[in-house]
Amino acid sequence: MRGAGSPRLLLFFLGAKGRQFGSGHLQLRTAAMAGPEWPSLEQCLEKHLPPADLREVKRILYGKETRKLDLPDTAFEAASEGEFELQGYAFEAAEEQLRPAQTVRVGLVQSRTPLPADAPVAKQVAAAHRRMEAIVEVAAMCGVNIICFQEAWTMPFFFCTREKLPWTEFAESAEDGPTTRFCQKLAKKHDMVVVSPILERDTEHGDVLWNTAVVISSSGAVLGKTRKNHIPRVGDFNEVSCPSDDQPSSLTFPESLWPIEARNAAVANHCFTCAINRVGEEHFPNEFTSGDGKKAHRDFGYFYGSSYVAAPNSSRTPGLSRSRDGLLVAELDLNLCRQANDSWNFKMTGRYEMYARELAEAIKPNYSPNIVKE
Amino acid sequence: MRGAGSPRLLLFFLGAKGRQFGSGHLQLRTAAMAGPEWPSLEQCLEKHLPPADLREVKRILYGKETRKLDLPDTAFEAASEGEFELQGYAFEAAEEQLRPAQTVRVGLVQSRTPLPADAPVAKQVAAAHRRMEAIVEVAAMCGVNIICFQEAWTMPFFFCTREKLPWTEFAESAEDGPTTRFCQKLAKKHDMVVVSPILERDTEHGDVLWNTAVVISSSGAVLGKTRKNHIPRVGDFNEVSCPSDDQPSSLTFPESLWPIEARNAAVANHCFTCAINRVGEEHFPNEFTSGDGKKAHRDFGYFYGSSYVAAPNSSRTPGLSRSRDGLLVAELDLNLCRQANDSWNFKMTGRYEMYARELAEAIKPNYSPNIVKE
């Protein structure tokens, strides 16, 4: 992350969708495949496994158990009234003699777009702001210090349409666009850092569009921004934005990859990762194809939520629901990062000079891999 | 992989152990934690989940379902007689017009060391050879083309002891040591490529020890070798061997990382990965400590097996048992690698020049990360 604070908290903002089963509003599902109504892996395991087996399965799937956070009743009541899920967990680190615990509460918000994609742009943005305002109120009750929203949170995930207008009108200035100004108010009101991933319009560089996470400090200042650097071109992910030199990318749209990539990154980099996905189905006014040989359709499939936090010691929280809006509160002791670093010793034993050299070799136009054949 | 054939099949040879609960032969387990007798994640889920839920859980945990291979009855009988598990699965790729399917059957062997660690070195090696010979016979019945053994397969995983003799006597020449000669015979007899990870003694470079995978072609020739390049220093993994410039390393000893790392590597590199772990408990003659504040002991904990194959499309096979010797046969259509490559487009959209440049910067002694603080 460039210009945006701690390297110990990586964020994965993902558009991670379930399979497409039909077209338009009519979802034709096969009997073999549950849709978004299948609530979550965790709920299924908890319903069916005997306690001793559940403990083993969770140990293998989630690592060292996270402690359930004792969040205020008023927060649960407000979440229930606002029709979103609330869960909270704590990751603990070993006590140290010279460093106090560096405890921070992170909030991850997964949500559906409140208005249909064909509503006027300004109304969609305003509705997303209102919805987020309500959820962040609850985050504040839970003592959240850093609140993180999903990728392109003010808009439908329109990249699948490959259309420009009206969608490019969702792009805003990262410094003083309406969404940044909204987040600055939130940050000051709740004394909270806000990570706000938007589609950025950069007029300074000739109206370039970027996929940008804006980081706003608790004082309300724009602390920095990171722009996604690896823009994928796969299936319906045809982003209009430009690849930047900042934020790494991540793309995990088969659901079987969702529990994998962010956890691997947390361990490999000795940091916490927050994997945030949206929920719900988004329908577009004009039909489009997905390059998969299937008929033209107007929907993107459903986004399967399941947002979670992963720790450098290979543990993770359970995920939020696959279909409901939700707030996941995670208490992190950042001391765990250096403890994992000292335990694994990757930076002492890793062969970074060699990797840099080999990578530099491999990208040369005349590179030829050394393959031995008999 | 340098000098060792296809870049499309990565092998993870792992010493992946369960937690230590006591010392010596007496295992003092807490009620909260099952030991190696807890058979496997898959068996637990299959026992308790209703079919529709099981299908969803498997889809999320394992991706696109692998087809069960129809292996010969004689192979299952021989495996049962030899007291090891046998499982077989196939990964399928889409049919192409111009390339025929590139089908190859890979065999993964997980096994315990047949003799106690204090038996004479030559006897331990000979017993490991005999055990492997029997398992490879069954692999041949199953049409396996490439057979892969676990890391340091002829010896107990002695690195925890930090002792030299007698353990360094397990090191052999990769070109003409007894284990390579044994594998050459196997390869010729069964027309099978053998991947044989051993502790290598390299007299050409002044008696250096390497952690080496020797690749023997089906004609019996040593096709090449790869030497582990990232030698971890964590817990009981204090390898005596030298870091090389060849094979990347991997270390996943919390069981919660086992399902993560090899799958992430398969997807990120568009290749198949074979994650092979050993099983059983190994007890050493002299007591040792593990740097974890616990009392001196003579065992390494148990190795939890669970070997599996992961594919570039994020699917994987179920794992072998957590405690039994086993042979996992996986039929791979290597066309899936290029299909995944073309689908994800990582090499076209990845920012490799930037990664090479940033990595080269980051390893400079005077490097200072750009961290913005308010």
Side-chain angles (χ1 to χ4, degrees):
Chain A
M1 253 166 116
R2 174 169 300 178
S6 166
R8 290 172 303 193
L9 183 74
L10 275 182
L11 299 166
F12 286 72
F13 310 100
L14 295 164
K17 66 165 190 167
R19 291 213 212 143
Q20 222 117 249
F21 306 109
S23 63
H25 285 259
L26 179 67
Q27 292 288 310
L28 304 167
R29 289 200 192 89
T30 66
M33 170 77 69
E37 72 282 358
W38 195 78
S40 75
L41 183 66
E42 293 78 7
Q43 284 186 46
C44 172
L45 299 176
E46 271 164 25
K47 185 170 164 193
H48 295 293
L49 298 186
D53 283 312
L54 181 63
R55 209 158 39 222
E56 285 305 293
V57 167
K58 281 189 165 177
R59 180 179 66 80
I60 291 175
L61 294 182
Y62 297 127
K64 189 177 176 224
E65 199 173 352
T66 46
R67 178 171 55 80
K68 254 200 175 160
L69 272 182
D70 191 22
L71 300 175
D73 289 343
T74 48
F76 283 107
E77 283 153 21
S80 162
E81 212 162 289
E83 296 192 336
F84 61 90
E85 189 187 13
L86 171 61
Q87 290 193 47
Y89 303 94
F91 294 94
E92 277 152 356
E95 208 176 313
E96 301 184 20
Q97 291 188 31
L98 301 183
R99 287 198 307 179
Q102 299 186 69
T103 306
V104 64
R105 285 199 181 182
V106 180
L108 282 64
V109 183
Q110 70 176 33
S111 60
R112 72 189 60 237
T113 46
L115 292 187
D118 56 4
V121 167
K123 285 199 173 168
Q124 288 189 61
V125 173
H129 288 186
R130 275 197 305 277
R131 177 63 170 156
M132 203 54 88
E133 194 169 15
I135 298 177
V136 173
E137 284 286 340
V138 177
M141 295 178 198
C142 298
V144 163
N145 308 108
I146 306 176
I147 188 86
C148 308
F149 307 150
Q150 72 216 10
E151 182 179 30
W153 71 273
T154 61
M155 59 183 230
F157 212 74
F158 68 81
F159 305 127
C160 52
T161 68
R162 290 187 282 284
E163 299 165 351
K164 304 301 176 179
L165 281 174
W167 316 114
T168 49
E169 294 198 71
F170 281 97
E172 304 181 19
S173 156
E175 281 69 31
D176 56 10
T179 297
T180 292
R181 289 201 308 270
F182 165 77
C183 292
Q184 289 174 310
K185 265 190 248 168
L186 278 186
K188 281 193 275 195
K189 178 174 179 191
H190 298 301
D191 191 26
M192 209 182 268
V193 172
V194 179
V195 181
S196 166
I198 59 169
L199 186 65
E200 179 193 1
R201 180 173 291 278
D202 175 9
T203 52
E204 300 293 313
H205 293 89
D207 264 329
V208 183
L209 299 175
W210 306 97
N211 190 331
T212 300
V214 185
V215 181
I216 293 146
S217 86
S218 54
S219 72
V222 175
L223 193 58
K225 59 187 177 189
T226 69
R227 292 164 169 167
K228 191 163 168 178
N229 77 36
H230 181 172
I231 303 290
R233 288 275 175 274
V234 46
D236 277 340
F237 295 87
N238 284 274
E239 299 194 14
V240 297
S241 52
C242 182
S244 89
D245 285 354
D246 297 340
Q247 173 199 30
S249 169
S250 142
L251 179 75
T252 62
F253 76 92
E255 196 166 350
S256 56
L257 248 186
W258 182 251
I260 300 292
E261 195 182 14
R263 291 184 67 196
N264 198 77
V267 171
N269 297 290
H270 308 313
C271 66
F272 288 94
T273 57
C274 303
I276 313 176
N277 189 14
R278 55 178 71 199
V279 289
E281 302 180 33
E282 296 175 355
H283 303 276
F284 294 92
N286 305 319
E287 64 178 17
F288 58 90
T289 53
S290 297
D292 57 1
K294 294 195 183 135
K295 282 199 165 182
H297 47 92
R298 287 196 173 83
D299 71 286
F300 192 76
Y302 62 90
F303 293 92
Y304 53 72
S306 310
S307 303
Y308 69 94
V309 179
N313 66 352
S314 86
S315 63
R316 58 158 283 187
T317 67
L320 289 176
S321 141
R322 292 176 73 250
S323 59
R324 298 188 64 206
D325 284 12
L327 168 65
L328 176 65
V329 179
E331 184 176 293
L332 323 175
D333 182 347
L334 296 177
N335 281 357
L336 192 59
C337 301
R338 197 170 82 181
Q339 288 174 14
N341 177 77
D342 289 356
S343 165
W344 290 98
N345 273 336
F346 284 168
K347 296 199 196 77
M348 282 155 65
T349 55
R351 307 292 302 284
Y352 301 102
E353 305 83 353
M354 191 179 77
Y355 309 151
R357 195 175 63 231
E358 297 269 328
L359 188 53
E361 275 305 309
I363 57 178
K364 286 185 183 164
N366 61 350
Y367 171 73
S368 164
N370 179 9
I371 296 180
V372 177
K373 288 182 179 170
E374 215 177 3
Chain B
M1 252 168 117
R2 173 169 301 178
S6 165
R8 289 173 302 192
L9 184 73
L10 274 183
L11 300 165
F12 286 72
F13 310 100
L14 296 165
K17 66 164 188 165
R19 290 214 212 144
Q20 223 116 248
F21 306 108
S23 63
H25 285 259
L26 180 66
Q27 293 288 311
L28 303 167
R29 289 199 192 90
T30 66
M33 171 78 67
E37 72 283 357
W38 195 78
S40 75
L41 184 65
E42 292 79 5
Q43 284 185 46
C44 172
L45 299 177
E46 271 164 23
K47 187 171 162 192
H48 295 293
L49 297 186
D53 283 313
L54 181 62
R55 211 160 37 222
E56 284 306 292
V57 167
K58 281 189 166 175
R59 180 179 66 80
I60 292 175
L61 294 181
Y62 296 129
K64 190 179 175 221
E65 199 173 352
T66 46
R67 178 171 54 83
K68 252 198 176 161
L69 272 182
D70 191 22
L71 301 174
D73 289 344
T74 49
F76 283 107
E77 284 154 20
S80 162
E81 214 163 285
E83 295 190 335
F84 60 91
E85 189 187 11
L86 172 61
Q87 290 193 48
Y89 302 93
F91 293 94
E92 278 152 356
E95 208 176 312
E96 300 184 20
Q97 291 188 30
L98 302 183
R99 287 196 309 178
Q102 299 185 69
T103 306
V104 64
R105 285 200 179 181
V106 180
L108 282 64
V109 184
Q110 70 176 32
S111 59
R112 69 189 62 236
T113 45
L115 293 186
D118 56 2
V121 167
K123 286 198 172 168
Q124 288 190 60
V125 173
H129 288 185
R130 276 196 306 277
R131 178 61 170 159
M132 203 53 88
E133 194 168 16
I135 298 177
V136 173
E137 285 286 341
V138 177
M141 294 178 199
C142 298
V144 163
N145 308 108
I146 306 175
I147 188 86
C148 308
F149 308 150
Q150 72 215 11
E151 182 178 31
W153 71 274
T154 61
M155 60 183 230
F157 212 75
F158 68 81
F159 304 127
C160 53
T161 68
R162 289 186 284 282
E163 299 165 352
K164 303 302 177 181
L165 281 174
W167 315 115
T168 49
E169 295 198 71
F170 281 97
E172 303 181 19
S173 158
E175 280 70 32
D176 57 9
T179 296
T180 292
R181 289 201 307 272
F182 164 78
C183 293
Q184 289 174 308
K185 265 191 247 166
L186 278 186
K188 281 193 276 196
K189 179 175 179 192
H190 298 301
D191 191 25
M192 210 182 267
V193 172
V194 180
V195 181
S196 167
I198 60 168
L199 186 64
E200 179 193 1
R201 180 172 289 280
D202 175 10
T203 53
E204 301 292 312
H205 293 90
D207 265 329
V208 182
L209 299 175
W210 307 97
N211 189 332
T212 300
V214 186
V215 181
I216 293 146
S217 85
S218 54
S219 71
V222 175
L223 192 59
K225 60 187 177 188
T226 69
R227 291 161 168 169
K228 191 164 169 176
N229 78 37
H230 182 172
I231 302 291
R233 289 273 174 276
V234 45
D236 277 341
F237 295 86
N238 284 274
E239 299 195 12
V240 298
S241 53
C242 183
S244 89
D245 285 353
D246 296 339
Q247 176 199 26
S249 169
S250 142
L251 177 75
T252 62
F253 77 94
E255 196 165 352
S256 56
L257 248 186
W258 183 252
I260 300 291
E261 196 182 15
R263 289 185 69 196
N264 198 77
V267 172
N269 297 290
H270 306 314
C271 66
F272 288 94
T273 56
C274 303
I276 313 176
N277 188 15
R278 55 178 69 202
V279 289
E281 301 180 34
E282 296 175 355
H283 303 276
F284 294 92
N286 305 320
E287 65 177 16
F288 58 90
T289 54
S290 298
D292 57 3
K294 294 197 182 134
K295 282 198 164 183
H297 46 93
R298 289 194 172 84
D299 71 286
F300 192 76
Y302 63 88
F303 293 92
Y304 53 72
S306 311
S307 302
Y308 69 94
V309 179
N313 66 352
S314 86
S315 63
R316 57 157 287 188
T317 68
L320 289 175
S321 140
R322 293 176 73 252
S323 58
R324 298 187 65 204
D325 284 13
L327 168 65
L328 175 66
V329 179
E331 185 176 292
L332 323 176
D333 182 348
L334 295 178
N335 281 357
L336 191 59
C337 300
R338 198 171 80 180
Q339 288 173 14
N341 176 77
D342 289 356
S343 165
W344 291 98
N345 274 337
F346 284 169
K347 296 198 197 77
M348 282 155 65
T349 54
R351 308 291 303 283
Y352 301 104
E353 305 82 353
M354 190 179 78
Y355 308 152
R357 194 176 63 230
E358 296 270 327
L359 188 53
E361 274 305 307
I363 57 179
K364 285 185 182 162
N366 61 350
Y367 171 73
S368 163
N370 179 8
I371 295 180
V372 177
K373 288 182 181 171
E374 216 177 2

